[in-house]
Amino acid sequence: MLASITTSLLASSSAPTPVYAIYQQHWGFSPITITVVFGVYAIAVLSSLLFFGKVSDHVGRRPVLVTSLIVQALAMIVFITASDVGALMTARVLQGLSTGAGVGALGAGMLDLDVRKGGFLNSLTPLLGTMAGALAAGLIVQYLPAPTRLIYAVLLAVFVMQTLGVLALKETVSRKPGALASMIPEFKLPRSARASVAIAAPVMFAAWALNGLYGALGPAITRNLVHSSSVVWGSMPLFIVAGFAGLAALTLRGVGTRTMMLISIGTLIAGVAITLLSITSGNGGTSSVAGFFAGAAISGLGFGSGFQGGIRLVVPQVEPHERAGILSLLYVVCYVGLGVPAVIAGVLVVHGGGLVPTSREYGIAVIVLALAALAGLVRSSRRSRRVVQAVPQEAPLAEPVPAAQAPSKG
C-alpha cells in the first residue's frame, strides 16, 4: 500500500510534462515558464521536506499520509479547472507540498515494516512512478478526450482510494513529543551517517539533475530531433530514463553498495556523453534520434543505480527514529538537483545560446558532478583501507570466555 502511494505521488509529478506543450499553445508562454513551473514544484517539495520531513517520526505515519493525499487530491482539482499559468503554478505548489510531506513518511513506513524490502522499494517506486506518469499522460493526451483534464481525473480517483486505504492501515510507530520542534528547519545529520552522506550526496544530486534535464528540456529536444509535435514523443525521454532507472534498481539489488555507486557514476557519464553527441547538430536524423534515446537509456541506468545506492549507503547508518529525517535530507539533495539546474537552463534557452548549447552546458555540468562524486568515492575507499591497515595485526586474540562464565548482557 505504501509503495503504491509513493508510485502515484511521483506519477502525478511527471504527468504534467507531456501536457506543457498544450498549455503553451493555449496560453502562449515561453520556455522559461515551463522550467519555472518545473522549478516551482521542486522548491515546494524542498520547503515541505524541510518543514514536515520529520513530523511523522513524532505524530505517526498515518496522519501525515492522509493529509498528504488530501492535498494531492486538491492539486488534481486545481489542474482540472486550470485556465492560466497562475493556476498551473498553484497546482504544482500543492503537489510539491504534498509530495515532500509524504515521501519521508512513506519511506520510513516501508522501512518500519521490513528494512530490506523497504530499502529496495524506497529506491524503486519513485522511478516506476515517474515512468508511469510520463507515459500514461502522453498516451492519454494524444489519444483520449479532454487532454488537459483526464489524466488528473484518473489520478484524483487514485488518491481518494489510497486515502481510504491508509485509514485502514495500522500505525507503524508510536507517537512521541516534539512534533512542533521537528518542524523548525534544520540540517541535522546524525554523526553515524555523515561520511556516507558525503559520498552519496554528489551522486544523487547529479542523478536528479540529469532527471531535470530530460524532464524540462527533453520534450523540446525530442521535437527538434524527430520533427514531430506528438506529445507521446515528448514524454519518451523521461519515460526511458525512469524506465531504465527502474530496471537498474531491479537488476542491481544484489550488487554491493560501493560497486553500485561506481556503476552509477560510469553510466551517468557515458549516457550524458552519448546524449550530447547525438544532439550536437540539432537537425535530427535516424542516428541522432537513436543516439539520443540510447543516451537516455544509459543515463537512466546511472540514475537508478545512483538513487538506490545512495539510499542503501546512508539509511543503515541511522536509528529507526531517525529514518524519516535522513530520507527527507536525501530528498532535499535530490530536489535541489532536480529544480535549480532546470530553472537556470530555462533562462539560458531564451536569453543564452538556445536549446542545443544550453543542453550541452547542462550535460557537461552533470558529468563534472559525477566526476566529483567519483573522486569522493575513491578518496573514501583509500581512507577505509588506511584505517584497516592501521589496526595492529600481531596482538593475540583474547581467549574465548567459556559459556558458563560468559557475562550477562544485562
Side-chain angles (χ1 to χ4, degrees):
M1 183 68 201
L2 298 178
S4 77
I5 297 171
T6 306
T7 302
S8 60
L9 286 178
L10 272 295
S12 75
S13 75
S14 63
T17 299
V19 195
Y20 286 146
I22 298 177
Y23 291 140
Q24 191 172 15
Q25 292 172 4
H26 290 176
W27 302 336
F29 51 75
S30 71
I32 292 180
T33 303
I34 296 178
T35 54
V36 167
V37 171
F38 197 86
V40 160
Y41 167 77
I43 291 170
V45 173
L46 285 173
S47 301
S48 186
L49 286 168
L50 291 174
F51 285 100
F52 308 120
K54 296 181 288 185
V55 170
S56 74
D57 286 336
H58 299 271
V59 304
R61 315 299 186 205
R62 290 173 67 239
V64 174
L65 293 180
V66 169
T67 303
S68 175
L69 288 167
I70 291 173
V71 174
Q72 191 74 213
L74 179 60
M76 298 302 103
I77 294 172
V78 176
F79 271 124
I80 291 170
T81 59
S83 59
D84 54 30
V85 174
L88 186 61
M89 289 193 177
T90 300
R92 289 297 267 172
V93 168
L94 290 173
Q95 261 193 319
L97 293 174
S98 166
T99 302
V103 290
L106 288 162
M110 288 189 279
L111 291 169
D112 293 338
L113 297 170
D114 189 305
V115 173
R116 184 179 62 84
K117 293 179 181 178
F120 170 63
L121 290 173
N122 264 306
S123 59
L124 177 65
T125 50
L127 308 174
L128 293 179
T130 302
M131 176 186 68
L135 182 62
L139 293 173
I140 287 174
V141 169
Q142 186 70 37
Y143 299 111
L144 296 179
T148 60
R149 294 181 176 86
L150 183 56
I151 181 62
Y152 304 122
V154 171
L155 287 167
L156 173 61
V158 169
F159 291 129
V160 169
M161 289 188 292
Q162 287 178 332
T163 302
L164 298 176
V166 171
L167 292 173
L169 293 178
K170 293 181 179 180
E171 182 57 73
T172 58
V173 294
S174 57
R175 293 192 176 194
K176 64 178 184 177
L180 290 177
S182 73
M183 293 171 62
I184 300 174
E186 61 174 348
F187 291 98
K188 186 176 181 181
L189 179 62
R191 184 180 297 274
S192 58
R194 290 177 184 175
S196 299
V197 169
I199 298 170
V203 179
M204 299 179 83
F205 186 98
W208 282 72
L210 176 76
N211 195 31
L213 169 65
Y214 288 103
L217 301 182
I221 295 173
T222 306
R223 283 196 297 271
N224 283 3
L225 294 176
V226 181
H227 304 298
S228 170
S229 59
S230 168
V231 295
V232 175
W233 277 113
S235 66
M236 286 305 293
L238 190 57
F239 169 75
I240 290 174
V241 168
F244 275 83
L247 179 64
L250 283 170
T251 57
L252 298 177
R253 63 184 184 274
V255 174
T257 301
R258 191 171 295 273
T259 301
M260 184 177 291
M261 299 293 278
L262 290 172
I263 291 172
S264 170
I265 293 168
T267 48
L268 278 175
I269 294 172
V272 173
I274 293 171
T275 299
L276 295 182
L277 289 173
S278 68
I279 66 175
T280 297
S281 67
N283 297 322
T286 302
S287 59
S288 293
V289 173
F292 177 69
F293 288 127
I298 296 171
S299 299
L301 296 175
F303 177 30
S305 54
F307 186 51
Q308 180 177 197
I311 290 176
R312 281 174 46 179
L313 189 66
V314 174
V315 169
Q317 311 301 323
V318 301
E319 298 296 326
H321 67 275
E322 298 171 324
R323 286 171 180 163
I326 198 67
L327 282 170
S328 296
L329 178 61
L330 292 178
Y331 272 110
V332 166
V333 173
C334 293
Y335 277 95
V336 169
L338 177 71
V340 174
V343 173
I344 295 173
V347 174
L348 292 176
V349 167
V350 176
H351 298 294
L355 179 63
V356 173
T358 298
S359 301
R360 187 184 303 117
E361 292 161 4
Y362 198 133
I364 291 172
V366 171
I367 290 175
V368 170
L369 284 169
L371 290 173
L374 177 61
L377 197 62
V378 171
R379 190 163 54 247
S380 171
S381 298
R382 290 175 178 172
R383 188 183 304 117
S384 297
R385 284 197 296 269
R386 285 198 299 268
V387 170
V388 171
Q389 293 170 359
V391 175
Q393 301 297 320
E394 297 81 12
L397 295 175
E399 291 294 328
V401 180
Q405 301 175 11
S408 167
K409 288 186 179 181

